[in-house]
Amino acid sequence: MPRIVVDVMPKPEILDPQGKAIVGALPRLGFTSFSSVRQGKRFELMVDGEVTEDILAQARDAAETLLSNPVIEDVVNVEVIEA
């Protein structure tokens, strides 16, 4: 069963308190190579049957109108993952 994966990230100009908390915790856990973290969201939309261009367009529309808040977030990826 194919999946459509949608990744949403905060816009660059939006503060990311969760990312700041993560980047602050990393060195305490021994991970010292990372200077910045941005936390986003991932959605997996399951599709019965073949993913057509129409279904992919619907997923992009849903990503822009429902899965993300366009004021503060960007949809950075919409891709099909075959099972």
Side-chain angles (χ1 to χ4, degrees):
M1 178 179 300
R3 292 176 287 160
I4 299 174
V5 175
V6 176
D7 295 313
V8 176
M9 294 296 292
K11 290 184 181 280
E13 62 272 14
I14 299 297
L15 294 177
D16 182 5
Q18 292 172 314
K20 285 202 174 287
I22 293 167
V23 81
L26 287 171
R28 292 192 301 270
L29 297 172
F31 302 105
T32 59
S33 299
F34 309 105
S35 61
S36 178
V37 174
R38 301 283 289 171
Q39 181 176 334
K41 300 184 284 189
R42 174 184 169 118
F43 299 91
E44 293 186 3
L45 308 171
M46 305 305 283
V47 177
D48 291 329
E50 181 183 349
V51 177
T52 63
E53 285 300 318
D54 182 54
I55 291 172
L56 196 53
Q58 287 180 48
R60 287 187 181 108
D61 190 37
E64 294 289 341
T65 59
L66 176 66
L67 304 179
S68 69
N69 178 343
V71 174
I72 62 169
E73 296 173 318
D74 290 324
V75 175
V76 296
N77 185 46
V78 178
E79 69 176 313
V80 177
I81 307 289
E82 296 295 332

